[in-house]
Amino acid sequence: MFISINQLNKQFLDKNENAATVLKDIDLQINKGEFVSILGPSGCGKSTLLSIVAGLTEATSGKILVEDKEIKKPGKDRGMVFQQAALFPWINVLENVMFPLKKDMSKKDAEAQARKYLKMVQLTNYLDHYPHELSGGMQQRVAIARALAMDPEILLMDEPFGALDEQTRTRLHGQLEEIWMETKKTVMFVTHSISESIKLSDRIIVMGTRPGTVLTDIKVDLPRPRDAYKTEMVEIENHIMSYLKKEIDKVISEEQNHEANI
Amino acid sequence: MKPIYKRIIFFVAIIGLWELGARLGLWAEIILPAPSSVFTSLYNGFENMTLVYDLIGSFRRLFIGLAIALILGTSIGVLIAKSKTADDTIGSTLLAFQSVPSIVWLPLAMMWFGLNDKAVIFVVVLGGTFVMALNVRTGIKNVSPLYIKAAQTMGSRGLDLFIRVVFPASIPYFVTGSRLAWAFAWRALIAGELLTTGPGLGYTLRYASDFGNMSMVIGVMIIIGVIGAVVDQLIFQRIEKSVARRWGL
Ligand SMILES: Nc1ncnc2c1ncn2[C@@H]1O[C@H](COP(=O)(O)OP(=O)(O)OP(=O)(O)O)[C@@H](O)[C@H]1O
Ligand SMILES: [Mg+2]
Protein backbone atom coordinates (compact mmCIF):
# COMPACT_ATOMS: atom_id res chain seq x y z
CA MET A 1 0.00 0.00 0.00
CA PHE A 2 1.18 3.47 -0.77
CA ILE A 3 -0.64 5.33 2.00
CA SER A 4 -1.66 3.21 4.92
CA ILE A 5 -3.70 4.66 7.77
CA ASN A 6 -3.93 2.24 10.67
CA GLN A 7 -6.19 2.42 13.71
CA LEU A 8 -6.00 6.18 13.75
CA ASN A 9 -7.63 7.96 16.68
CA LYS A 10 -7.79 11.63 17.44
CA GLN A 11 -9.18 13.30 20.53
CA PHE A 12 -9.34 16.97 21.35
CA LEU A 13 -9.54 18.28 24.89
CA ASP A 14 -12.35 20.76 25.38
CA LYS A 15 -12.45 23.65 27.87
CA ASN A 16 -13.17 21.34 30.79
CA GLU A 17 -10.31 19.01 29.82
CA ASN A 18 -12.80 16.37 28.66
CA ALA A 19 -11.58 14.35 25.72
CA ALA A 20 -13.84 14.50 22.67
CA THR A 21 -13.19 11.79 20.12
CA VAL A 22 -13.12 13.26 16.64
CA LEU A 23 -11.66 10.34 14.72
CA LYS A 24 -12.17 6.77 15.85
CA ASP A 25 -10.30 3.72 14.55
CA ILE A 26 -9.80 4.99 11.03
CA ASP A 27 -8.34 2.35 8.73
CA LEU A 28 -7.68 3.36 5.18
CA GLN A 29 -5.43 2.04 2.43
CA ILE A 30 -4.73 4.12 -0.65
CA ASN A 31 -2.92 2.97 -3.77
CA LYS A 32 -0.32 4.95 -5.62
CA GLY A 33 -1.88 7.24 -8.21
CA GLU A 34 -5.38 6.87 -6.81
CA PHE A 35 -7.78 9.81 -6.56
CA VAL A 36 -9.61 9.34 -3.28
CA SER A 37 -12.33 11.62 -1.96
CA ILE A 38 -13.14 11.92 1.72
CA LEU A 39 -16.82 12.76 1.97
CA GLY A 40 -18.84 13.44 5.07
CA PRO A 41 -21.04 15.89 6.95
CA SER A 42 -19.59 19.01 8.50
CA GLY A 43 -17.65 18.34 11.67
CA CYS A 44 -16.98 14.65 11.03
CA GLY A 45 -13.23 15.20 11.10
CA LYS A 46 -12.30 15.33 7.42
CA SER A 47 -10.00 18.31 7.84
CA THR A 48 -8.50 16.78 10.96
CA LEU A 49 -7.74 13.56 9.11
CA LEU A 50 -6.11 15.41 6.24
CA SER A 51 -4.14 17.60 8.61
CA ILE A 52 -2.78 14.50 10.36
CA VAL A 53 -1.73 13.04 7.01
CA ALA A 54 -0.08 16.37 6.20
CA GLY A 55 1.81 16.14 9.49
CA LEU A 56 0.34 19.38 10.81
CA THR A 57 -1.69 17.71 13.56
CA GLU A 58 -0.61 14.89 15.81
CA ALA A 59 -2.73 11.76 16.10
CA THR A 60 -3.70 10.59 19.57
CA SER A 61 -2.95 7.01 18.60
CA GLY A 62 -2.44 4.97 15.47
CA LYS A 63 -0.09 5.28 12.57
CA ILE A 64 0.11 6.66 9.09
CA LEU A 65 2.61 5.10 6.74
CA VAL A 66 3.63 6.44 3.36
CA GLU A 67 5.63 3.83 1.48
CA ASP A 68 6.21 2.07 4.83
CA LYS A 69 7.66 5.18 6.43
CA GLU A 70 5.79 6.64 9.38
CA ILE A 71 4.53 10.20 9.04
CA LYS A 72 5.31 12.51 11.96
CA LYS A 73 6.02 15.90 10.43
CA PRO A 74 5.07 17.91 7.36
CA GLY A 75 7.20 17.14 4.35
CA LYS A 76 7.60 18.01 0.72
CA ASP A 77 6.40 14.56 -0.31
CA ARG A 78 2.89 15.79 0.61
CA GLY A 79 1.60 19.01 -0.95
CA MET A 80 -1.45 20.61 0.60
CA VAL A 81 -4.13 22.87 -0.85
CA PHE A 82 -6.40 24.54 1.70
CA GLN A 83 -9.92 25.85 1.36
CA GLN A 84 -8.54 29.39 1.48
CA ALA A 85 -5.71 29.74 -1.03
CA ALA A 86 -3.19 30.68 1.70
CA LEU A 87 -0.98 32.50 -0.79
CA PHE A 88 1.54 34.91 0.67
CA PRO A 89 0.29 38.44 -0.07
CA TRP A 90 3.75 40.04 0.03
CA ILE A 91 5.09 38.21 -3.01
CA ASN A 92 3.73 37.88 -6.53
CA VAL A 93 2.26 34.80 -8.18
CA LEU A 94 5.55 33.53 -9.60
CA GLU A 95 7.37 34.00 -6.30
CA ASN A 96 4.56 32.26 -4.44
CA VAL A 97 4.93 29.20 -6.61
CA MET A 98 8.72 29.37 -6.25
CA PHE A 99 8.42 29.49 -2.45
CA PRO A 100 8.86 25.73 -1.81
CA LEU A 101 11.65 25.46 -4.38
CA LYS A 102 14.04 28.11 -3.13
CA LYS A 103 16.12 25.84 -0.91
CA ASP A 104 16.48 22.90 -3.25
CA MET A 105 17.38 24.41 -6.57
CA SER A 106 18.97 27.40 -8.24
CA LYS A 107 16.81 30.45 -8.79
CA LYS A 108 16.73 29.80 -12.51
CA ASP A 109 15.58 26.20 -12.16
CA ALA A 110 13.02 27.21 -9.55
CA GLU A 111 11.60 29.82 -11.88
CA ALA A 112 11.44 27.40 -14.80
CA GLN A 113 9.67 24.85 -12.61
CA ALA A 114 7.21 27.43 -11.28
CA ARG A 115 6.44 28.64 -14.80
CA LYS A 116 5.78 25.10 -15.92
CA TYR A 117 3.12 24.53 -13.28
CA LEU A 118 1.60 27.97 -13.69
CA LYS A 119 1.21 27.11 -17.34
CA MET A 120 -0.54 23.91 -16.31
CA VAL A 121 -3.16 25.94 -14.42
CA GLN A 122 -3.25 28.49 -17.27
CA LEU A 123 -1.99 31.49 -15.37
CA THR A 124 1.04 32.40 -17.44
CA ASN A 125 -0.32 35.91 -17.94
CA TYR A 126 -0.47 36.65 -14.23
CA LEU A 127 3.07 35.87 -13.08
CA ASP A 128 3.75 39.34 -11.70
CA HIS A 129 0.33 39.91 -10.17
CA TYR A 130 -0.08 39.96 -6.43
CA PRO A 131 -2.60 37.63 -4.76
CA HIS A 132 -5.02 40.45 -3.90
CA GLU A 133 -5.28 41.23 -7.61
CA LEU A 134 -6.62 37.76 -8.45
CA SER A 135 -10.10 36.27 -8.22
CA GLY A 136 -10.78 33.45 -5.77
CA GLY A 137 -10.63 30.84 -8.50
CA MET A 138 -7.31 32.16 -9.81
CA GLN A 139 -5.86 32.22 -6.31
CA GLN A 140 -6.86 28.62 -5.82
CA ARG A 141 -5.19 27.66 -9.11
CA VAL A 142 -1.99 29.37 -7.95
CA ALA A 143 -2.22 27.38 -4.72
CA ILE A 144 -2.57 24.18 -6.74
CA ALA A 145 0.41 25.12 -8.90
CA ARG A 146 2.41 25.88 -5.76
CA ALA A 147 1.64 22.49 -4.25
CA LEU A 148 2.43 20.73 -7.52
CA ALA A 149 5.65 22.67 -8.10
CA MET A 150 7.50 20.84 -5.35
CA ASP A 151 6.54 17.65 -7.15
CA PRO A 152 5.04 15.82 -4.16
CA GLU A 153 3.99 12.18 -4.39
CA ILE A 154 0.76 13.04 -2.61
CA LEU A 155 -1.60 15.94 -3.08
CA LEU A 156 -3.83 16.72 -0.12
CA MET A 157 -6.77 18.97 -0.88
CA ASP A 158 -9.14 20.25 1.80
CA GLU A 159 -12.29 21.52 0.08
CA PRO A 160 -10.16 23.45 -2.41
CA PHE A 161 -13.17 24.62 -4.39
CA GLY A 162 -15.55 25.05 -1.47
CA ALA A 163 -15.50 28.84 -1.57
CA LEU A 164 -15.97 29.16 -5.34
CA ASP A 165 -19.05 29.69 -7.45
CA GLU A 166 -20.59 26.81 -9.41
CA GLN A 167 -19.19 27.71 -12.85
CA THR A 168 -15.66 28.32 -11.64
CA ARG A 169 -15.81 25.08 -9.70
CA THR A 170 -16.90 23.08 -12.73
CA ARG A 171 -14.07 24.55 -14.78
CA LEU A 172 -11.51 23.77 -12.10
CA HIS A 173 -12.82 20.21 -11.81
CA GLY A 174 -11.92 19.74 -15.45
CA GLN A 175 -8.48 21.26 -14.96
CA LEU A 176 -7.75 19.23 -11.86
CA GLU A 177 -8.78 16.01 -13.59
CA GLU A 178 -6.43 16.78 -16.48
CA ILE A 179 -3.57 17.66 -14.18
CA TRP A 180 -4.12 14.50 -12.21
CA MET A 181 -4.10 12.33 -15.32
CA GLU A 182 -0.98 14.07 -16.53
CA THR A 183 1.01 14.01 -13.27
CA LYS A 184 -0.34 10.75 -11.78
CA LYS A 185 -0.29 12.08 -8.22
CA THR A 186 -2.00 10.29 -5.40
CA VAL A 187 -4.78 12.62 -4.31
CA MET A 188 -6.74 12.81 -1.06
CA PHE A 189 -9.58 15.20 -1.73
CA VAL A 190 -11.83 16.39 1.08
CA THR A 191 -15.28 17.59 0.12
CA HIS A 192 -18.82 17.63 1.33
CA SER A 193 -20.21 17.75 -2.17
CA ILE A 194 -21.37 14.31 -3.27
CA SER A 195 -21.46 15.17 -6.97
CA GLU A 196 -17.96 16.65 -6.83
CA SER A 197 -16.60 13.46 -5.29
CA ILE A 198 -18.32 11.25 -7.88
CA LYS A 199 -17.09 13.37 -10.74
CA LEU A 200 -13.46 13.31 -9.66
CA SER A 201 -12.59 10.21 -7.70
CA ASP A 202 -11.62 6.59 -8.18
CA ARG A 203 -12.83 5.92 -4.66
CA ILE A 204 -15.08 7.71 -2.22
CA ILE A 205 -14.58 7.26 1.50
CA VAL A 206 -17.86 8.16 3.18
CA MET A 207 -17.39 9.26 6.77
CA GLY A 208 -19.90 9.32 9.61
CA THR A 209 -19.82 11.76 12.45
CA ARG A 210 -19.50 11.75 16.27
CA PRO A 211 -17.14 10.08 16.34
CA GLY A 212 -15.71 10.26 12.82
CA THR A 213 -15.53 6.79 11.36
CA VAL A 214 -15.37 5.32 7.87
CA LEU A 215 -18.95 4.32 6.95
CA THR A 216 -18.24 2.88 3.57
CA ASP A 217 -15.74 2.83 0.75
CA ILE A 218 -17.22 3.18 -2.73
CA LYS A 219 -15.39 2.48 -5.95
CA VAL A 220 -16.33 4.71 -8.88
CA ASP A 221 -15.57 2.75 -12.03
CA LEU A 222 -16.62 5.19 -14.73
CA PRO A 223 -14.48 6.34 -17.65
CA ARG A 224 -13.30 9.96 -17.67
CA PRO A 225 -14.40 12.58 -18.37
CA ARG A 226 -17.63 11.53 -16.75
CA ASP A 227 -20.09 14.10 -18.04
CA ALA A 228 -21.54 11.49 -20.41
CA TYR A 229 -22.49 9.14 -17.54
CA LYS A 230 -25.22 11.15 -15.84
CA THR A 231 -27.49 8.19 -14.97
CA GLU A 232 -24.67 6.14 -13.42
CA MET A 233 -23.58 9.15 -11.43
CA VAL A 234 -27.07 9.75 -10.09
CA GLU A 235 -27.25 6.10 -9.01
CA ILE A 236 -24.04 6.43 -7.02
CA GLU A 237 -25.26 9.70 -5.60
CA ASN A 238 -28.45 8.09 -4.28
CA HIS A 239 -26.43 5.26 -2.84
CA ILE A 240 -24.18 7.69 -0.94
CA MET A 241 -27.16 9.79 0.07
CA SER A 242 -28.72 6.83 1.86
CA TYR A 243 -25.61 6.60 4.06
CA LEU A 244 -25.35 10.32 4.70
CA LYS A 245 -29.06 10.80 5.41
CA LYS A 246 -28.73 8.71 8.57
CA GLU A 247 -25.70 10.73 9.65
CA ILE A 248 -27.34 14.07 9.04
CA ASP A 249 -30.42 12.96 10.96
CA LYS A 250 -28.12 11.89 13.77
CA VAL A 251 -26.44 15.30 13.88
CA ILE A 252 -29.77 17.11 13.86
CA SER A 253 -31.34 15.02 16.60
CA GLU A 254 -28.19 15.32 18.72
CA GLU A 255 -28.22 19.07 18.38
CA GLN A 256 -31.89 19.18 19.33
CA ASN A 257 -31.24 17.03 22.39
CA HIS A 258 -28.37 19.27 23.30
CA GLU A 259 -30.56 22.33 23.02
CA ALA A 260 -33.29 20.63 25.05
CA ASN A 261 -30.75 19.99 27.81
CA ILE A 262 -29.70 23.64 28.09
CA MET B 1 -15.89 71.29 -3.65
CA LYS B 2 -12.79 69.18 -3.09
CA PRO B 3 -11.58 68.97 0.54
CA ILE B 4 -8.25 70.44 -0.53
CA TYR B 5 -9.94 73.69 -1.69
CA LYS B 6 -11.99 73.91 1.48
CA ARG B 7 -8.81 73.53 3.46
CA ILE B 8 -6.99 76.25 1.51
CA ILE B 9 -9.88 78.69 1.85
CA PHE B 10 -10.08 77.94 5.56
CA PHE B 11 -6.39 78.64 6.12
CA VAL B 12 -6.36 81.78 4.01
CA ALA B 13 -9.35 83.09 5.98
CA ILE B 14 -7.74 82.34 9.36
CA ILE B 15 -4.45 83.96 8.38
CA GLY B 16 -6.25 86.93 6.88
CA LEU B 17 -8.30 87.56 10.03
CA TRP B 18 -5.24 87.07 12.19
CA GLU B 19 -3.23 89.62 10.15
CA LEU B 20 -6.15 92.03 10.18
CA GLY B 21 -6.58 91.76 13.94
CA ALA B 22 -2.89 92.38 14.51
CA ARG B 23 -2.81 95.39 12.12
CA LEU B 24 -5.84 96.95 13.82
CA GLY B 25 -4.08 96.54 17.17
CA LEU B 26 -6.83 94.41 18.70
CA TRP B 27 -4.12 92.74 20.84
CA ALA B 28 -0.52 93.55 21.73
CA GLU B 29 2.19 92.34 19.37
CA ILE B 30 3.82 90.43 22.26
CA ILE B 31 0.66 88.36 22.83
CA LEU B 32 0.22 87.27 19.22
CA PRO B 33 2.42 88.75 16.49
CA ALA B 34 1.00 89.14 12.99
CA PRO B 35 1.52 86.36 10.41
CA SER B 36 3.67 88.75 8.40
CA SER B 37 6.14 89.19 11.25
CA VAL B 38 6.15 85.44 11.88
CA PHE B 39 7.00 85.01 8.22
CA THR B 40 9.76 87.62 8.43
CA SER B 41 11.26 85.87 11.47
CA LEU B 42 11.21 82.54 9.67
CA TYR B 43 12.73 84.09 6.57
CA ASN B 44 15.52 85.69 8.56
CA GLY B 45 16.08 82.52 10.52
CA PHE B 46 16.60 80.54 7.35
CA GLU B 47 18.64 83.24 5.69
CA ASN B 48 21.16 83.49 8.54
CA MET B 49 21.16 79.70 8.71
CA THR B 50 20.27 79.44 12.43
CA LEU B 51 17.05 77.55 11.67
CA VAL B 52 18.89 75.34 9.22
CA TYR B 53 21.38 74.36 11.91
CA ASP B 54 18.48 73.83 14.30
CA LEU B 55 16.81 71.50 11.84
CA ILE B 56 20.03 69.59 11.22
CA GLY B 57 20.65 69.29 14.95
CA SER B 58 17.11 68.13 15.71
CA PHE B 59 17.00 65.63 12.88
CA ARG B 60 20.38 64.20 13.83
CA ARG B 61 19.15 63.45 17.34
CA LEU B 62 15.84 62.20 15.99
CA PHE B 63 17.37 59.82 13.46
CA ILE B 64 19.89 58.37 15.89
CA GLY B 65 17.24 57.98 18.58
CA LEU B 66 14.58 56.61 16.24
CA ALA B 67 16.99 54.14 14.63
CA ILE B 68 17.99 52.79 18.03
CA ALA B 69 14.32 52.71 19.09
CA LEU B 70 13.24 50.74 16.00
CA ILE B 71 16.04 48.19 16.32
CA LEU B 72 15.60 47.83 20.05
CA GLY B 73 11.81 47.78 19.81
CA THR B 74 11.86 45.13 17.09
CA SER B 75 14.24 42.94 19.09
CA ILE B 76 12.18 43.22 22.27
CA GLY B 77 8.97 42.68 20.29
CA VAL B 78 10.28 39.50 18.68
CA LEU B 79 11.54 38.26 22.04
CA ILE B 80 8.26 38.75 23.87
CA ALA B 81 6.24 37.35 20.97
CA LYS B 82 8.32 34.19 20.91
CA SER B 83 8.95 33.56 24.61
CA LYS B 84 6.07 33.18 27.02
CA THR B 85 8.35 33.86 30.00
CA ALA B 86 9.66 37.05 28.43
CA ASP B 87 6.10 38.14 27.67
CA ASP B 88 4.92 37.51 31.22
CA THR B 89 7.82 39.52 32.64
CA ILE B 90 9.13 42.10 30.17
CA GLY B 91 5.89 42.29 28.20
CA SER B 92 3.71 43.41 31.08
CA THR B 93 6.38 45.87 32.27
CA LEU B 94 6.45 47.45 28.80
CA LEU B 95 2.79 48.41 29.10
CA ALA B 96 3.53 50.26 32.33
CA PHE B 97 6.51 52.05 30.77
CA GLN B 98 4.49 52.89 27.68
CA SER B 99 1.98 54.83 29.76
CA VAL B 100 4.69 57.11 31.20
CA PRO B 101 5.49 60.10 28.94
CA SER B 102 9.13 59.58 28.04
CA ILE B 103 10.13 63.18 28.92
CA VAL B 104 9.68 62.12 32.56
CA TRP B 105 12.97 60.30 32.13
CA LEU B 106 14.91 63.45 31.28
CA PRO B 107 16.00 64.42 34.82
CA LEU B 108 17.38 60.92 35.27
CA ALA B 109 19.01 60.98 31.84
CA MET B 110 20.69 64.30 32.65
CA MET B 111 22.18 62.74 35.78
CA TRP B 112 23.49 59.82 33.73
CA PHE B 113 24.67 61.52 30.57
CA GLY B 114 24.94 65.22 31.49
CA LEU B 115 23.12 68.12 29.92
CA ASN B 116 23.82 67.13 26.31
CA ASP B 117 22.72 65.29 23.16
CA LYS B 118 22.93 61.88 24.77
CA ALA B 119 20.27 62.74 27.33
CA VAL B 120 17.88 63.92 24.61
CA ILE B 121 18.61 60.90 22.42
CA PHE B 122 17.94 58.67 25.41
CA VAL B 123 14.51 60.21 25.86
CA VAL B 124 13.80 59.86 22.13
CA VAL B 125 14.80 56.19 22.27
CA LEU B 126 12.44 55.58 25.19
CA GLY B 127 9.69 57.41 23.35
CA GLY B 128 9.88 55.09 20.34
CA THR B 129 10.98 51.73 21.70
CA PHE B 130 7.90 50.68 23.65
CA VAL B 131 5.27 51.32 20.98
CA MET B 132 7.48 49.60 18.43
CA ALA B 133 7.97 46.58 20.69
CA LEU B 134 4.26 46.27 21.44
CA ASN B 135 3.28 46.52 17.78
CA VAL B 136 5.90 44.01 16.66
CA ARG B 137 4.67 41.63 19.34
CA THR B 138 1.06 41.99 18.20
CA GLY B 139 2.08 41.57 14.57
CA ILE B 140 4.00 38.37 15.13
CA LYS B 141 1.28 36.91 17.35
CA ASN B 142 -1.38 37.73 14.77
CA VAL B 143 0.24 35.98 11.82
CA SER B 144 -2.49 33.83 10.31
CA PRO B 145 -1.98 30.17 11.31
CA LEU B 146 -2.94 29.34 7.73
CA TYR B 147 0.25 30.96 6.39
CA ILE B 148 2.30 29.03 8.89
CA LYS B 149 0.61 25.73 8.08
CA ALA B 150 0.98 26.33 4.35
CA ALA B 151 4.68 27.12 4.76
CA GLN B 152 5.20 24.02 6.91
CA THR B 153 3.71 21.78 4.26
CA MET B 154 6.25 23.32 1.89
CA GLY B 155 9.13 22.25 4.09
CA SER B 156 9.73 25.54 5.87
CA ARG B 157 10.35 25.65 9.61
CA GLY B 158 12.43 27.27 12.33
CA LEU B 159 14.45 30.31 11.30
CA ASP B 160 13.53 29.89 7.62
CA LEU B 161 9.84 30.01 8.55
CA PHE B 162 10.41 33.10 10.65
CA ILE B 163 12.36 35.01 8.01
CA ARG B 164 10.26 34.04 5.00
CA VAL B 165 6.77 33.96 6.49
CA VAL B 166 6.29 35.27 10.02
CA PHE B 167 8.35 38.41 9.50
CA PRO B 168 6.88 39.53 6.16
CA ALA B 169 3.37 38.60 7.31
CA SER B 170 3.67 41.06 10.19
CA ILE B 171 5.02 43.96 8.13
CA PRO B 172 1.76 45.96 8.44
CA TYR B 173 2.30 46.03 12.19
CA PHE B 174 5.93 47.03 11.72
CA VAL B 175 4.80 49.98 9.65
CA THR B 176 2.20 51.05 12.21
CA GLY B 177 4.76 50.56 14.97
CA SER B 178 7.26 52.75 13.13
CA ARG B 179 4.67 55.45 12.53
CA LEU B 180 3.71 55.59 16.20
CA ALA B 181 7.37 55.36 17.24
CA TRP B 182 8.13 58.36 15.02
CA ALA B 183 5.23 60.33 16.49
CA PHE B 184 6.25 59.62 20.08
CA ALA B 185 9.92 60.21 19.31
CA TRP B 186 9.18 63.55 17.65
CA ARG B 187 7.27 64.79 20.70
CA ALA B 188 9.94 63.47 23.07
CA LEU B 189 12.66 65.16 21.01
CA ILE B 190 11.10 68.61 21.14
CA ALA B 191 10.30 68.28 24.83
CA GLY B 192 13.85 67.16 25.53
CA GLU B 193 15.36 69.98 23.49
CA LEU B 194 13.33 72.58 25.35
CA LEU B 195 15.27 71.64 28.47
CA THR B 196 18.79 71.19 27.07
CA THR B 197 21.27 73.02 24.86
CA GLY B 198 21.18 73.67 21.11
CA PRO B 199 21.23 73.81 18.27
CA GLY B 200 17.78 72.35 17.92
CA LEU B 201 14.21 73.44 17.26
CA GLY B 202 13.14 72.97 20.87
CA TYR B 203 16.15 74.90 22.13
CA THR B 204 15.49 77.82 19.77
CA LEU B 205 11.86 77.84 20.82
CA ARG B 206 12.77 78.29 24.48
CA TYR B 207 15.54 80.76 23.68
CA ALA B 208 13.15 82.90 21.64
CA SER B 209 10.58 82.71 24.40
CA ASP B 210 13.13 83.79 27.04
CA PHE B 211 13.91 86.84 24.95
CA GLY B 212 10.28 87.66 24.20
CA ASN B 213 10.72 86.99 20.48
CA MET B 214 7.16 85.81 20.00
CA SER B 215 7.18 85.78 16.20
CA MET B 216 10.08 83.32 16.31
CA VAL B 217 8.25 81.22 18.92
CA ILE B 218 5.25 80.91 16.64
CA GLY B 219 7.47 80.32 13.62
CA VAL B 220 9.20 77.39 15.31
CA MET B 221 5.86 76.02 16.47
CA ILE B 222 4.68 76.07 12.87
CA ILE B 223 7.82 74.26 11.69
CA ILE B 224 7.34 71.59 14.35
CA GLY B 225 3.70 71.11 13.44
CA VAL B 226 4.27 71.03 9.70
CA ILE B 227 7.09 68.49 9.93
CA GLY B 228 4.99 66.29 12.21
CA ALA B 229 1.99 66.37 9.91
CA VAL B 230 3.95 65.99 6.68
CA VAL B 231 5.95 62.99 7.81
CA ASP B 232 2.88 61.31 9.24
CA GLN B 233 0.49 61.92 6.36
CA LEU B 234 2.76 62.00 3.35
CA ILE B 235 5.09 59.21 4.33
CA PHE B 236 3.72 56.86 6.96
CA GLN B 237 0.02 56.91 6.19
CA ARG B 238 0.73 56.30 2.51
CA ILE B 239 2.97 53.35 3.23
CA GLU B 240 0.44 52.06 5.73
CA LYS B 241 -2.37 52.25 3.19
CA SER B 242 -0.53 50.57 0.35
CA VAL B 243 0.74 47.83 2.67
CA ALA B 244 -2.74 47.25 4.07
CA ARG B 245 -4.14 46.95 0.57
CA ARG B 246 -1.54 44.47 -0.60
CA TRP B 247 -1.72 42.43 2.60
CA GLY B 248 -5.46 42.23 2.13
CA LEU B 249 -6.35 43.92 5.42
N1 LIG C 1 -8.00 22.38 17.41
C1 LIG C 1 -9.17 21.85 17.80
N2 LIG C 1 -9.51 21.82 19.10
C2 LIG C 1 -10.67 21.27 19.51
N3 LIG C 1 -11.56 20.71 18.68
C3 LIG C 1 -11.29 20.70 17.37
C4 LIG C 1 -10.08 21.26 16.85
N4 LIG C 1 -10.07 21.11 15.50
C5 LIG C 1 -11.24 20.48 15.21
N5 LIG C 1 -11.95 20.23 16.32
C6 LIG C 1 -13.25 19.54 16.36
O1 LIG C 1 -13.14 18.37 15.63
C7 LIG C 1 -14.31 18.12 14.88
C8 LIG C 1 -13.95 17.87 13.44
O2 LIG C 1 -13.42 19.03 12.87
P1 LIG C 1 -12.96 19.11 11.35
O3 LIG C 1 -12.54 20.49 11.07
O4 LIG C 1 -11.97 18.03 11.10
O5 LIG C 1 -14.33 18.78 10.62
P2 LIG C 1 -14.64 18.72 9.05
O6 LIG C 1 -15.15 17.37 8.76
O7 LIG C 1 -13.47 19.20 8.27
O8 LIG C 1 -15.83 19.75 8.93
P3 LIG C 1 -16.15 20.81 7.76
O9 LIG C 1 -16.78 20.05 6.65
O10 LIG C 1 -17.14 21.74 8.41
O11 LIG C 1 -14.88 21.46 7.38
C9 LIG C 1 -15.21 19.32 15.08
O12 LIG C 1 -16.24 18.94 15.96
C10 LIG C 1 -14.34 20.35 15.70
O13 LIG C 1 -15.06 21.09 16.63
MG1 LIG D 1 -13.00 20.96 7.11
Side-chain angles (χ1 to χ4, degrees), chain B residues 8-61:
Chain B
I8 289 171
I9 292 172
F10 176 71
F11 279 115
V12 168
I14 292 277
I15 292 170
L17 288 174
W18 174 8
E19 181 76 40
L20 194 69
R23 291 276 168 96
L24 293 176
L26 295 185
W27 56 76
E29 175 80 6
I30 186 76
I31 304 289
L32 186 62
S36 51
S37 39
V38 171
F39 180 79
T40 314
S41 287
L42 281 178
Y43 183 82
N44 292 337
F46 278 109
E47 202 186 37
N48 65 25
M49 296 299 274
T50 51
L51 281 176
V52 175
Y53 290 128
D54 284 339
L55 279 170
I56 293 173
S58 288
F59 272 108
R60 202 179 63 84
R61 291 184 199 100

Side-chain angles (χ1 to χ4, degrees), chain B:
Chain B
M1 202 172 3
K2 276 192 183 171
I4 180 81
Y5 295 128
K6 289 188 199 166
R7 231 170 276 160
I8 289 171
I9 292 172
F10 176 71
F11 279 115
V12 168
I14 292 277
I15 292 170
L17 288 174
W18 174 8
E19 181 76 40
L20 194 69
R23 291 276 168 96
L24 293 176
L26 295 185
W27 56 76
E29 175 80 6
I30 186 76
I31 304 289
L32 186 62
S36 51
S37 39
V38 171
F39 180 79
T40 314
S41 287
L42 281 178
Y43 183 82
N44 292 337
F46 278 109
E47 202 186 37
N48 65 25
M49 296 299 274
T50 51
L51 281 176
V52 175
Y53 290 128
D54 284 339
L55 279 170
I56 293 173
S58 288
F59 272 108
R60 202 179 63 84
R61 291 184 199 100
L62 181 74
F63 281 134
I64 296 173
L66 195 56
I68 298 173
L70 293 183
I71 294 169
L72 208 60
T74 303
S75 315
I76 297 173
V78 170
L79 178 71
I80 57 180
K82 284 285 158 193
S83 151
K84 177 97 176 64
T85 313
D87 197 19
D88 291 340
T89 51
I90 304 171
S92 52
T93 320
L94 275 191
L95 271 176
F97 276 108
Q98 170 59 21
S99 53
V100 178
S102 59
I103 191 64
V104 165
W105 290 84
L106 191 69
L108 206 55
M110 291 198 298
M111 288 302 288
W112 292 345
F113 303 109
L115 194 71
N116 56 28
D117 267 11
K118 284 193 195 128
V120 179
I121 291 173
F122 179 77
V123 173
V124 171
V125 169
L126 286 181
T129 303
F130 304 129
V131 252
M132 188 62 187
L134 290 170
N135 272 278
V136 167
R137 170 181 172 276
T138 312
I140 290 177
K141 290 213 158 189
N142 279 352
V143 172
S144 158
L146 190 59
Y147 292 154
I148 297 187
K149 284 187 200 165
Q152 283 173 335
T153 65
M154 294 186 281
S156 180
R157 60 191 133 87
L159 190 62
D160 181 71
L161 180 69
F162 185 79
I163 293 172
R164 291 173 71 202
V165 179
V166 175
F167 187 79
S170 31
I171 280 178
Y173 289 86
F174 281 79
V175 175
T176 305
S178 310
R179 179 167 71 82
L180 295 173
W182 138 263
F184 280 104
W186 182 237
R187 286 157 179 72
L189 172 79
I190 302 298
E193 283 182 348
L194 279 174
L195 303 170
T196 54
T197 54
L201 288 172
Y203 170 76
T204 298
L205 181 62
R206 201 200 62 211
Y207 186 84
S209 157
D210 286 351
F211 284 85
N213 183 358
M214 289 319 277
S215 57
M216 188 53 131
V217 167
I218 292 174
V220 173
M221 283 169 64
I222 291 173
I223 295 179
I224 293 170
V226 166
I227 291 175
V230 163
V231 172
D232 189 74
Q233 299 201 353
L234 256 51
I235 302 178
F236 282 111
Q237 290 199 13
R238 283 201 183 173
I239 300 177
E240 221 173 17
K241 260 188 210 142
S242 76
V243 162
R245 202 173 49 95
R246 164 128 25 121
W247 264 244
L249 299 174

Side-chain angles (χ1 to χ4, degrees), chain A residues 12-13 22 40-49 83 158-159 190 192:
Chain A
F12 283 111
L13 295 181
V22 172
S42 182
C44 72
K46 305 180 294 291
S47 296
T48 307
L49 175 61
Q83 179 165 4
D158 189 355
E159 301 195 34
V190 165
H192 55 228

